Amino acid sequence: MARTSTVITDRLEEALRSQFPVRICRDQSWAPDDVPGFVVSLSDGWVAVQRLVDAVYVDGYDVVRIQDVTEVEADGEGGYIERAVAGLGRREPRFHLPVGAAADAVLRAAAEHAALVCVHLEAAEDYPLLVGRVVRFGTRKFDLQLIGPRGVWETDAARLWYRDVTRVGLGDRYSSALARFGDRAPVPGRHRDLQSFCSGEES
């Protein structure tokens, strides 16, 4: 059952203060994944989580819209996660959201922190995740030059709406490996609608 925004905000603030591991649930019609980890930063509309994979391994950050959050669940009952994370090592969080950050400011902060960003358009069934570098920030749209899973860059950039972004990832092993070992990024020639990349058309 969805919680009120005040309850969600209170729980996120408590998770930030306590640094207790939580699972952020977003029970939306587009069925996004839960986000497990430690809340490390809050703005008016977004929450940044130092993400845990396989329950106990720290792997970068996920930033999600607070408006989509329906529950914040304690994820460390029994003490195993805290002991394992402490034993395996947890880096001091270095990513922080600007105060009052909207989607454009979230993307700017992510792009300043990491060479590549993971942009999730979870409400759009055909485009759940895009990885690349932001090459232009506009008023309502931004341009993302995409890199594929084998480290090959697109020569053009996809133009995307800020309003469609539901989640931003950065600093994880997947995108860090692409940034380190992928091809050298070419200067993008032009911008194109995202649909043209997915369909193979060059409109």
Side-chain angles (χ1 to χ4, degrees):
M1 181 177 178
R3 301 280 182 169
T4 66
S5 58
T6 301
V7 170
I8 292 298
T9 300
D10 289 347
R11 291 193 173 184
L12 291 173
E13 290 175 348
E14 175 57 28
L16 177 61
R17 286 192 299 269
S18 69
Q19 287 302 288
F20 192 79
V22 296
R23 180 170 296 274
I24 293 179
C25 306
R26 297 173 298 152
D27 186 17
Q28 305 295 335
S29 60
W30 27 276
D33 296 332
D34 293 345
V35 180
F38 299 92
V39 174
V40 296
S41 187
L42 286 169
S43 72
D44 291 345
W46 296 77
V47 53
V49 178
Q50 193 175 32
R51 184 174 62 182
L52 291 175
V53 298
D54 297 329
V56 296
Y57 294 97
V58 175
D59 189 26
Y61 304 90
D62 270 326
V63 189
V64 299
R65 298 186 304 196
I66 293 175
Q67 72 182 51
D68 299 328
V69 177
T70 55
E71 185 60 272
V72 181
E73 300 176 348
D75 203 26
E77 190 173 344
Y80 163 68
I81 291 178
E82 302 98 296
R83 292 194 302 272
V85 170
L88 293 167
R90 179 190 173 197
R91 291 183 178 180
E92 184 70 22
R94 297 183 182 277
F95 177 74
H96 300 284
L97 294 170
V99 176
D104 58 340
V106 169
L107 284 162
R108 284 181 185 275
E112 290 171 1
H113 186 88
L116 298 179
V117 296
C118 303
V119 177
H120 297 254
L121 311 178
E122 295 163 305
E125 183 177 351
D126 294 334
Y127 322 119
L129 169 64
L130 304 167
V131 181
R133 60 181 187 132
V134 183
V135 294
R136 187 193 72 92
F137 293 95
T139 304
R140 294 183 295 172
K141 296 181 180 181
F142 64 101
D143 290 356
L144 185 71
Q145 188 175 13
L146 305 174
I147 185 170
R150 296 192 179 275
V152 178
W153 288 90
E154 294 286 350
T155 56
D156 296 334
R159 181 151 292 179
L160 309 171
W161 291 91
Y162 292 119
R163 68 188 184 200
D164 292 336
V165 177
T166 57
R167 176 175 169 183
V168 177
L170 61 144
D172 58 290
R173 289 176 294 182
Y174 178 67
S175 64
S176 296
L178 285 173
R180 184 176 177 184
F181 301 111
D183 293 347
R184 178 174 294 183
V187 175
R190 55 179 178 148
H191 75 265
R192 289 159 46 194
D193 290 337
L194 181 59
Q195 177 64 38
S196 67
F197 289 91
C198 299
S199 64
E201 300 173 358
E202 295 195 4
S203 57

